[in-house]
Amino acid sequence: VTTVGALLGALRARLAHLAEGPREAELLVGAALGVGRARLIAYPESAVTERDAQRALALAEERARGRPVAQLLGRREFWSLELEVTEAVLVPRPETELLVELGLAAIAAHADPRVADLGAGSGAIGLAIAHERSDARVELIEQSPAALAVACGNARRLGVANVVAKLGDWCAPLVGRYELILANPPYLAADDAALPGLAHEPRAALVAGATGIEALARIAASAPAYLASGGLLALEHGADQGEAVRALLARASLGGIATARDLAGHERVTHGRRTG
Ligand SMILES: C[S@@+](CC[C@H](N)C(=O)[O-])C[C@H]1O[C@@H](n2cnc3c(N)ncnc32)[C@H](O)[C@@H]1O
C-alpha cells in the first residue's frame, strides 16, 4: 500500500522528460484511481491499493513508450466537447479548432447550411460545427470504417443528431452543393521526421504520400464542384504548405484565397470561395 502523493511522485519522475509530464502524471493517476485532479491534490496522504498503483504505473510505462495520453484515457476534449479517442483515429489537435472557427464564421449568415467534413476521424470538426449550429446538416466523410464508427459513437454520446456519416473516398460520397466543405487531411510526407513519434496513430491519418501534398491536391481538385455559389472550402495543412495550397485553390478557380495562422504563428488553414 502506498499513498496518492508517493504515486504521483513516481509518475512525475517517470514522465519528467515530457513537456507536459507533470500534468499527464496527474491525469493518469486520476484515471487509474477513478478520481479527479482536485481530489488527488487535496488528499496526498490517502492510501492507494497495490492494484491501483500498478495500474497507474502501467499507464505511465505506455505513455513513456509514446502512446498519446488521449488514447490511454480514451478521450480528448475538442471545442469543449468530450470525444472518445481510440487507436483508429487521429487525436484531435488544438490547432484544428482554427478550422472550426473559420467554418462557423463562413456560415454565420446562412440558415440551414449544408456542411461536409472530409476525413472526419473522431468527428471533431464536423461535430463541433453541428453542435454549434443545430440548423446545419453536417456530413462526416471517412474512408476508414473503424474511424467512422468512432465518429458515430461520439455523435450519439454527445446527442448531436444533425449529422450523417458516409463511408468513402474524399468527395465521392457528396451529393449536391454545400455551403462549407472542411478537411484536415493527412499532410505528412512518407519520410517525415515526425513519424516515429506518431507511431500510435493511424498512418492513413498522417501520411498523404511521397511529398505530403497528395491528399490536399486531390481535395482541392474535386471539392469546388460541390460548393454552392459563395461556398467556402477550408483546408488544414502543414506549416510549410501554405503557398502550395493557395496555388491549388487558385488552379481550382476559387476566389478570396487566404491563409490563417495558428496560435504558434504557423500558416495552418487555407481557404477560398466559389465565386461563380
Ligand atoms: C489528419 S486525420 C483528421 C481527423 C479529424 N478530422 C481531425 O481533425 O482530428 C485525416 C483523416 O482522413 C481520413 N482519410 C484518409 N484518406 C482518406 C480518403 N481518401 N477519403 C476519406 N478520408 C480519408 C483518415 O482515415 C483520417 O481519419
Side-chain angles (χ1 to χ4, degrees), residues 78 88-93 96 99 117-125 141-144 147 168-171 183-187 202 204-206 215 218 236:
F78 180 86
V89 299
L90 186 92
V91 176
R93 306 294 203 267
T96 300
L99 196 54
D117 172 9
L118 308 180
S122 63
I125 300 164
I141 312 294
E142 176 54 61
Q143 194 176 48
S144 153
D169 180 24
W170 299 138
C171 294
N184 173 21
Y187 50 70
L206 298 165
R218 284 193 53 212
E236 179 170 330

Side-chain angles (χ1 to χ4, degrees), residues 81-84 120-124 126-128 130-131 138-140 147-165:
L81 300 175
E82 186 159 289
L83 298 170
E84 183 199 358
S122 63
L127 290 173
H131 189 260
V138 179
E139 297 182 13
L140 305 175
L148 201 59
V150 173
C152 290
N154 279 325
R156 211 174 311 118
R157 206 167 314 101
L158 293 166
V160 176
N162 52 329
V163 294
V164 295

Side-chain angles (χ1 to χ4, degrees), residues 18 33 36 50 70-71 103 138 161 188 202 214 222 224 234 266:
L18 300 175
L33 271 51
E50 181 63 22
Q71 274 183 17
V138 179
L188 297 184
E214 290 84 352
S222 57
H266 298 128

